[in-house]
Each structure stands twice: as C-alpha cells, then as structure tokens.
C-alpha cells in the first residue's frame, strides 16, 4: 500500500491514539480486577497508569471513569480526601461532556467521601445533586444507587428507622 505524504502523519496519529486507548482500557480492566480482589493499592496503581494514558490521548470519556476508579479505591481504603478530589475531577469532566449517568456516580462518590469525612451537610448536598442528575439520566438502577447512599448517610447520622425504610425500598426494586 502506497501512502501519500499527507495521509501518512494522519495514519500514524490514529495508530498512536489507538495504542493509548488500548493501554487505557487494559489498565482499567486490571484496576477493576485488583479492586474486586481487594487489592486497593494495586487497583490505584493501574488506575493511575490508565489516567496518564487517557490524559496523553485526550480520551475524556476514559478520564472521568479513571478518576472515579482511583476515587473508589481511595474510598475503600478510607482515604476520603483523595477520593473527594478524584470524584470532583471526574464530575467536572462529566459535566463538560453532558454525561448525566457519570455525574450521578461522581456525586454519589462525593456524598460517600463527605460521609467518611464526617461532613453530613456536604454529604446530603452531594446526594441531592446525585438525585437531580439521576432524574436527568432517567435510569432506575442509577437512581436506586443514590438512594442506597442516602440510606447509608441516614444510618450514620442516627436516623436508623428512615435508613432502614429507604434500604428496604431499594432492596425490593427490580
């Protein structure tokens, strides 16, 4: 195949971008596997590698997801400040892209991080914003995930009966 001088740089550029996207996807997969195995530090390492590749290739859809993955691992390790930071980065990207489902997950994460930091006012605010975004996303599982987070917050703030009722409602949904 003969390529003109004009087409060759474009072909190299697309190939280079594809390599980064594959690196991002592979690192994301390895991060998720480590997370499921309870290897949170390893999950964060793989997620950071994915983030670098996503940023190098301007792969915004992956960037928000990777920020969320890093935040999830930090949250599970009790590093609420790091989790809050990465959820915030992910949220900004989701909002720029108009990605309502992603925004729900980021707001939920911010609510959980605020709960971990013993800031129930900020947690309630984040969960409320998650509910608003879930309404825009119009997907029941996303909405139910937010309600689960709110149930956890209610439990933490001493509202056990309300937490139980909300958790029971979520548990009985399809």
């Amino acid at each position: 195949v003969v390529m003109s001088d004009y087409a060759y740089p474009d072909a190299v550029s697309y190939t280079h971008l594809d390599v980064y996207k594959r690196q991002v996807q592979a690192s994301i997969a390895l991060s998720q596997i480590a997370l499921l195995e309870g290897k949170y530090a390893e999950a964060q390492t793989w997620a950071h590698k994915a983030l670098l590749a996503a940023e190098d290739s301007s792969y915004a859809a992956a960037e928000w997801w990777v920020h969320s993955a890093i935040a999830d691992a930090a949250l599970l390790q009790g590093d609420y400040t790091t989790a809050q930071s990465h959820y915030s980065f992910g949220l900004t990207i989701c909002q720029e892209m108009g990605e309502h489902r992603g925004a729900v997950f980021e707001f939920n994460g911010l609510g959980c991080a605020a709960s971990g930091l013993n800031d129930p006012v900020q947690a309630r605010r984040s969960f409320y914003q998650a509910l608003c975004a879930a309404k825009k996303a119009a997907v029941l599982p996303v909405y139910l995930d937010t309600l689960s987070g709110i149930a956890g917050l209610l439990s933490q703030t001493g509202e056990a009966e309300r937490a139980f009722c909300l958790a029971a409602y979520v548990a009985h949904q399809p």
Side-chain angles (χ1 to χ4, degrees):
V1 173
V2 176
M3 299 179 116
S4 72
D5 289 339
Y6 178 75
Y8 181 71
D10 290 341
V12 170
S13 174
Y14 285 125
T15 302
H16 184 69
L17 188 59
D18 289 342
V19 168
Y20 273 114
K21 284 186 176 182
R22 283 192 298 258
Q23 286 176 340
V24 170
Q25 292 165 349
S27 295
I28 287 171
L30 291 169
S31 176
Q32 285 299 295
I33 290 168
L35 195 64
L36 291 171
E37 292 177 343
K39 299 175 182 174
Y40 306 130
E42 184 179 333
Q44 278 189 311
T45 299
W46 283 112
H48 279 287
K49 288 179 182 184
L51 182 59
L52 290 174
E55 289 173 342
D56 285 346
S57 64
S58 299
Y59 189 8
E63 283 183 55
W64 77 261
W65 193 92
V66 175
H67 275 294
S68 189
I70 293 168
D72 290 344
L75 191 70
L76 291 169
Q77 293 179 83
D79 185 356
Y80 304 115
T81 304
T82 298
Q84 195 172 46
S85 174
H86 282 281
Y87 285 131
S88 292
F89 283 127
L91 176 61
T92 299
I93 295 167
C94 287
Q95 290 172 329
E96 289 171 358
M97 293 174 33
E99 173 58 51
H100 298 298
R101 286 173 126 180
V104 175
F105 291 112
E106 302 307 308
F107 278 127
N108 278 337
L110 286 167
C112 291
S115 291
L117 291 168
N118 293 315
D119 187 351
V121 172
Q122 181 58 45
R124 285 180 194 271
R125 187 176 304 122
S126 294
F127 285 129
Y128 174 75
Q129 291 170 314
L131 285 174
C132 292
K135 185 176 179 181
K136 288 179 185 175
V139 178
L140 183 62
V142 173
Y143 185 75
L144 294 174
D145 189 47
T146 302
L147 294 179
S148 293
I150 293 169
L153 175 62
L154 291 171
S155 176
Q156 182 182 357
T157 58
E159 300 174 72
E161 186 175 330
R162 290 179 64 201
F164 177 77
C165 290
L166 191 55
Y169 174 77
V170 170
H172 286 90
Q173 296 306 306

